[in-house]
């Protein structure tokens, strides 16, 4: 399973990177979104998969899945959500102001 | 703090007071009168040291500066330092006096002028009285900076700024090289003290860093003293006010390099490399300067080139004299030591006559409004005092009796003649070059001295070309050049007083092998029979007169050399090319496109991580500990890949957004499979909100544009993204295959006992690692504030 997950993470990274290298602003945001998913899955995979029951003591399992990566991912998801929201509004704002979403045209300023 | 320390610090402290004095007393009293006191007091107190130094004593005091680094501010005075100190303060006094009459107290910003001047004076005293090489370097750079400020004193003029920048670049370049040399020396000897380095000459000579250290220190000396080919800054420095040209660019700062060479002769002298570098560079500079001086039409430019040439002469003598250290104490050493003596003697002589000549040129400029030789002429009757002073100065420079230049010129010829008979350092091959080149350079020196004198004062007076009617300068302005010119004559008639009190102690400082014997007893006399040197002088006068008369005929030769092939043109060309190159280079990679920078970042990531994984053999794959895969899980993974590819290939933005949503929900499904209920919950909620946000923006954002980009562009993107994907996969696999130690998570399984919580993940979030959560809340707050601001913000005149 871990090997499969590693490949999945790699593929997600690949697609995310390709999107980030695109010109349209929306594609770039989608790319970062995919990469963040990949990162969350990577953290989870590295903690070892299916080594026990869910980390809830009430379930009286003999062993539990590693809880630390889950806590880390939970933090990461929330932070990522905040950043994505800001990024989206920023791109909306930039589009309103500049009139384009083409990164090739969003370049430099008149003073340069 | 000793008196010597106070002397060095005094100009700096006084420089702080100058602006206040200027503010309160201008225009009633010229600020220069206050400044005048400083060098005068310093000069008089330095005179006090002469008897002690002449007896062979030295003065040194130490004040800790950075004791933990071994850097102490140690002052040290011996004969060499004393001569320079006397020159700096003595000529400084006269220059300040002269500047009081030269610089108008109504029109000029005198506070700047005198602050810079005092800074320079203090720095220069620091250079010559310092024992610690790093402190010496600090003062050295301060002279460069104050010289820069003084050259650009009239900063409204473009040429001043150009000259200042050029001198700054060249002297700082040399200064930094010198610092590197000093550091090498201190690495060899493990001390920063010059006096302690003198005791370790054998260690230094044997060390492999000997040659680099020597060359780097010489680079500093050559740039500062305007030696070939670094001489180009000096003529451009003539844009400075004339008192500054007289002080810095003829008498003191340009001799800092001479001081450095003399100071380091005990360490490096007696070696063939030192001997050849200094004497040949000096000789080339001598010839180059004198030939170029003849073709100048600006009086100050002529004097600048003559300074270059005379500095070359002194440098050459120092090189020749360093051979004395090769022989050790004895008769042969005495013969070559005479060259060192001649160098110091000429150093003093040059300061006197060049200082006075600059001041006279300043007077001519001040009283006629021009320094152009072609416009001047026939001033003899109108300016008799200046005329007399010029005769004294230029005859001394040409090396004619009865002026001090004659004595040092004869001694110079003695030096080169002796050198030509030397049979060390393979001198027997090139020996004859020295007297020949020296003689040719002296002929040119004679010619430009005559040009300076006769073209200015003889011939026809042309009042139409002049801005003002020429008349004699006020008395105050001629006092300083008169004092200097009297010295020129006095030294000729009483050279041995100078020799006994100043030259001998300096000689011992440069050549310590004479310390026991108390120096060599050289009687400088004006007449020493019909010898070769005298015939050489006669030849110079003869040929020089002849060439001066037919100057118009042969000076057309200068026209043959195109302006494009001068050193200056080379310097300008190099500066321009370097600017162009770096600009072109920067423009090439700083494209301004985010995409390019992202490509750089990813490329570095691939190369660095991939390379180190490869090099350190970090790639591993071990699937033995893997959890089993069920069909259901495989299906989810395949679904995720399909969703991701859909995002990639989507033609419309709606499809892409929905595909990202699908991807997010499938991720939360994986969280369910991998026993992470909290994650699954959060992921579901967050994904829902994110998709909602996307859809909100969706309305405002433009439709997907077709990515109309070239194939090559897409290929780069493809390669980069595949590279990133592969690298991440390899890292994940390798990390998974090599688990170095057990996880610490079993500790958190005590969460009920420790924190009273049954949900371990939540216990970690709010109890074990609560700070993370707090800061994460901050992140959310800031983001929401940012979103609010971005939406509410209305920039004036925008939307």
């Amino acid at each position: 399973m871990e090997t499969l997950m590693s490949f999945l993470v790699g593929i997600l990274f690949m697609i995310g990177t390709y999107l980030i290298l695109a010109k349209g602003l929306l594609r770039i945001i989608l790319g970062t979104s995919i990469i963040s998913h990949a990162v969350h899955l990577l953290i989870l995979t590295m903690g070892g998969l299916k080594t026990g029951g869910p980390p809830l003591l009430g379930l009286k399992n003999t062993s539990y899945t590693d809880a630390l990566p889950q806590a880390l991912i939970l933090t990461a998801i929330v932070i990522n959500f905040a950043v994505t929201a800001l990024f989206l509004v920023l791109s909306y704002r930039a589009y309103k102001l500049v009139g384009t979403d083409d990164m090739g045209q969003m370049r430099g300023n008149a003073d340069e | 703090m000793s008196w010597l320390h106070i002397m060095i610090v005094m100009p700096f402290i006084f420089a702080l007071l100058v602006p206040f004095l200027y503010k309160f007393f201008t225009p009633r009293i010229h600020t220069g009168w206050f400044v005048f006191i400083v060098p005068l007091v310093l000069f008089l107190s330095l005179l006090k040291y002469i008897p002690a130094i002449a007896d062979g004593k030295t003065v040194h005091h130490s004040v800790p500066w950075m004791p933990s680094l071994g850097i102490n501010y140690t002052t040290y005075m011996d004969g060499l330092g004393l001569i320079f100190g006397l020159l700096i303060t003595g000529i400084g006094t006269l220059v300040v006096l002269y500047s009081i009459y030269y610089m108008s107290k109504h029109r000029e910003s005198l506070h700047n002028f005198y602050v810079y001047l005092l800074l320079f004076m203090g720095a220069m005293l620091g250079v010559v009285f310092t024992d610690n090489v790093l402190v010496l370097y600090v003062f050295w750079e301060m002279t460069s900076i104050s010289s820069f400020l003084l050259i650009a004193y009239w900063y409204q003029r473009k040429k001043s700024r150009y000259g200042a920048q050029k001198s700054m670049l060249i002297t700082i370049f040399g200064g930094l090289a010198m610092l590197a040399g000093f550091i090498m020396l201190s690495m060899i000897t493990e001390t920063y003290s010059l006096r302690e380095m003198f005791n370790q000459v054998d260690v230094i000579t044997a060390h492999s860093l000997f040659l680099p250290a020597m060359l780097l220190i010489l680079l500093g000396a050559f740039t500062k003293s305007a030696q070939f080919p670094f001489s180009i800054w000096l003529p451009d420095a003539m844009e400075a006010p004339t008192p500054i040209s007289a002080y810095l660019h003829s008498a003191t700062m340009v001799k800092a390099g001479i001081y450095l060479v003399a100071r380091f002769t005990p360490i490096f002298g007696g070696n063939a490399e030192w001997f050849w570098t200094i004497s040949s560079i000096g000789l080339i500079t001598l010839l180059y300067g004198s030939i170029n001086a003849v073709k100048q039409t600006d009086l100050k430019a002529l004097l600048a080139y003559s300074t270059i040439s005379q500095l070359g002469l002194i440098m050459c003598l120092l090189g020749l004299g360093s051979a004395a250290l090769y022989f050790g104490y004895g008769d042969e050493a005495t013969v070559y030591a005479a060259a060192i003596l001649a160098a110091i003697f000429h150093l003093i002589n040059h300061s006197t006559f060049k200082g006075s000549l600059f001041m006279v040129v300043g007077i001519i400029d001040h009283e006629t409004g021009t320094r152009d030789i072609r416009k001047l002429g026939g001033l003899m009757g109108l300016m008799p005092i200046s005329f007399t002073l010029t005769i004294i100065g230029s005859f001394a420079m040409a090396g004619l009796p009865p002026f001090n230049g004659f004595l040092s010129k004869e001694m110079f010829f003695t030096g080169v003649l002796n050198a030509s008979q030397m049979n060390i350092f393979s001198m027997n091959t090139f020996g004859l070059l020295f007297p020949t080149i020296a003689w040719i350079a002296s002929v040119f020196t004679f010619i430009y001295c005559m040009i300076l004198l006769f073209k200015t004062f003889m011939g026809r007076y042309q009042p139409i070309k002049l801005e003002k009617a020429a008349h004699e300068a006020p008395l105050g302005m001629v006092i300083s050049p008169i004092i200097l010119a009297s010295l020129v004559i006095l030294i000729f008639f009483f050279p041995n007083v100078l020799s006994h009190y100043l030259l001998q102690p300096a000689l011992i400082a440069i050549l310590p092998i004479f310390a026991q014997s108390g120096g060599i007893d050289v009687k400088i006399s004006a007449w020493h029979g019909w010898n070769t040197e005298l015939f050489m002088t006669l030849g110079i006068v003869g040929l020089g007169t002849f060439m001066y008369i037919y100057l118009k005929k042969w000076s057309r030769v200068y026209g043959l050399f195109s302006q494009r092939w001068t050193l200056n043109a080379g310097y300008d060309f190099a500066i321009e090319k370097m600017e162009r190159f770096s600009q072109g280079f920067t423009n090439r990679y700083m494209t301004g496109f985010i995409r390019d920078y992202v490509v750089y970042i990813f490329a570095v990531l691939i190369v660095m991580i991939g390379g180190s994984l490869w090099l350190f053999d970090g790639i591993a794959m071990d699937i033995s500990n893997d959890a089993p895969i069920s069909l259901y899980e495989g299906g989810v993974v395949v679904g995720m890949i399909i969703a991701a590819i859909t995002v990639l290939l989507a033609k419309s933005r709606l499809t892409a957004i929905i595909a990202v949503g699908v991807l997010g929900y499938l991720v939360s499904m994986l969280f369910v499979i991998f026993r992470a209920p909290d994650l699954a919950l959060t992921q579901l909620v967050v994904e829902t909100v994110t998709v909602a946000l996307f859809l909100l923006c969706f309305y405002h954002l433009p439709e997907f544009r077709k990515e109309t980009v070239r194939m090559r562009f897409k290929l780069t993107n493809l390669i980069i993204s595949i590279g990133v994907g592969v690298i991440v996969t390899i890292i994940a696999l390798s990390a998974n295959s090599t688990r170095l130690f057990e996880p610490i998570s079993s500790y958190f399984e005590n969460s009920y006992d420790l924190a009273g919580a049954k949900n371990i993940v939540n216990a970690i979030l709010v109890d074990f690692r609560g700070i993370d959560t707090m800061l994460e809340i901050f992140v959310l707050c800031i983001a929401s504030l940012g979103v609010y601001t971005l939406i509410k913000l209305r920039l004036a005149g925008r939307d």
Side-chain angles (χ1 to χ4, degrees), chain A residues 1-35 37-38 40-42 44-60 62-97 100-108 112, chain B residues 591-595 598-599 602 621 623 625-630 633-634 637 640-641 644-645 647-648 650 653 656-657 660 663-664 667 670-671 673-679 682-683 686-687 689-690 693-694 697 700-702 704-705 707 709 713-714 717-718 720-722 724-725 728-729 732-733 735-736 739 743-745 748-749 751-752 757-761 764-765 769 772 776 779-780 783 786-787 790-791 793-795 798-799:
Chain A
M1 192 71 220
E2 279 89 342
T3 312
L4 182 68
M5 288 300 289
S6 300
F7 280 104
L8 175 68
V9 165
I11 291 167
L12 289 183
F13 252 98
M14 189 164 75
I15 292 171
T17 309
Y18 192 86
L19 284 167
I20 283 180
L21 290 170
K23 275 188 171 177
L25 199 48
L26 192 58
R27 276 188 213 266
I28 294 177
I29 303 173
L30 293 175
T32 54
S33 194
I34 292 179
I35 285 191
H37 285 317
H40 300 159
L41 291 178
L42 184 64
L44 196 67
T45 311
M46 291 301 102
L49 295 173
K50 297 198 270 188
T51 49
L56 299 169
L57 292 176
L59 295 179
K60 304 271 189 267
T62 46
S63 67
Y64 300 99
T65 310
D66 198 338
L68 192 57
Q70 297 191 11
L72 296 181
I73 295 169
L74 202 60
T75 313
I77 289 175
V78 175
I79 290 173
N80 180 56
F81 167 65
V83 173
T84 308
L86 186 69
F87 198 4
L88 265 171
V89 176
L90 188 67
S91 70
Y92 155 73
R93 183 73 193 179
Y95 178 64
K96 281 273 162 181
L97 211 63
T100 179
D101 72 327
D102 184 358
M103 292 310 285
Q105 288 172 21
M106 287 184 180
R107 170 174 177 257
E112 254 184 316
Chain B
T591 53
F593 294 115
I594 301 283
R595 186 230 162 217
V598 177
V599 167
F602 281 132
M621 184 149 166
I623 54 169
N625 287 327
D626 274 16
I629 310 169
S630 70
E633 294 156 1
V637 169
M640 285 176 76
I641 293 172
I645 291 174
V647 178
L648 190 63
R653 50 193 179 152
I657 291 169
V660 167
L663 188 66
V667 169
L670 275 183
F671 288 152
I673 296 166
F674 296 141
R675 284 89 159 138
D678 299 288
L679 284 187
T682 319
Q683 178 67 32
V686 163
E687 199 56 40
V689 179
T690 312
L693 259 176
F694 268 114
C697 283
H700 298 283
L701 285 173
F704 263 168
R705 288 163 329 99
E707 294 264 329
V709 281
F713 184 91
K714 280 203 164 168
N717 290 0
L718 194 66
I720 293 279
S721 42
I722 289 177
V724 171
V728 171
T729 312
L733 286 173
N736 201 29
R739 292 187 184 274
I744 57 164
S745 294
F748 296 120
E749 283 167 19
S751 68
Y752 188 73
K758 290 189 174 171
N759 185 331
I760 303 177
V761 174
I764 293 175
L765 282 174
R769 298 174 55 89
D772 281 0
E776 167 199 335
V779 170
L780 263 182
V787 168
L790 277 173
I791 290 173
L793 182 71
R794 290 284 178 272
L795 287 173
R798 293 273 175 91
D799 51 7

Side-chain angles (χ1 to χ4, degrees), chain B residues 265-287:
Chain B
T265 299
I267 293 178
F268 295 112
N271 289 289
E273 296 92 347
W274 177 262
F275 174 87
W276 276 111
T277 323
I278 294 175
S279 53
S280 57
I281 292 280
L283 207 61
I284 294 169
T285 313
L286 167 64
L287 191 65

Side-chain angles (χ1 to χ4, degrees), chain B residues 576-638:
Chain B
E576 198 198 318
K577 277 286 154 196
M578 279 196 275
E579 279 177 6
R580 280 260 185 84
F581 171 77
S582 50
Q583 196 183 13
F585 186 69
T586 309
N587 285 345
R588 199 159 257 271
Y589 76 90
M590 299 293 283
T591 53
F593 294 115
I594 301 283
R595 186 230 162 217
D596 290 333
Y597 306 145
V598 177
V599 167
Y600 303 150
I601 292 167
F602 281 132
V604 168
L605 179 132
I606 294 168
V607 172
M608 295 285 283
I609 298 184
S612 44
L613 275 176
W614 182 263
L615 281 176
F616 301 115
D617 201 22
I619 302 170
M621 184 149 166
D622 175 20
I623 54 169
S624 55
N625 287 327
D626 274 16
I629 310 169
S630 70
L631 187 68
Y632 180 60
E633 294 156 1
V636 172
V637 169
V638 171

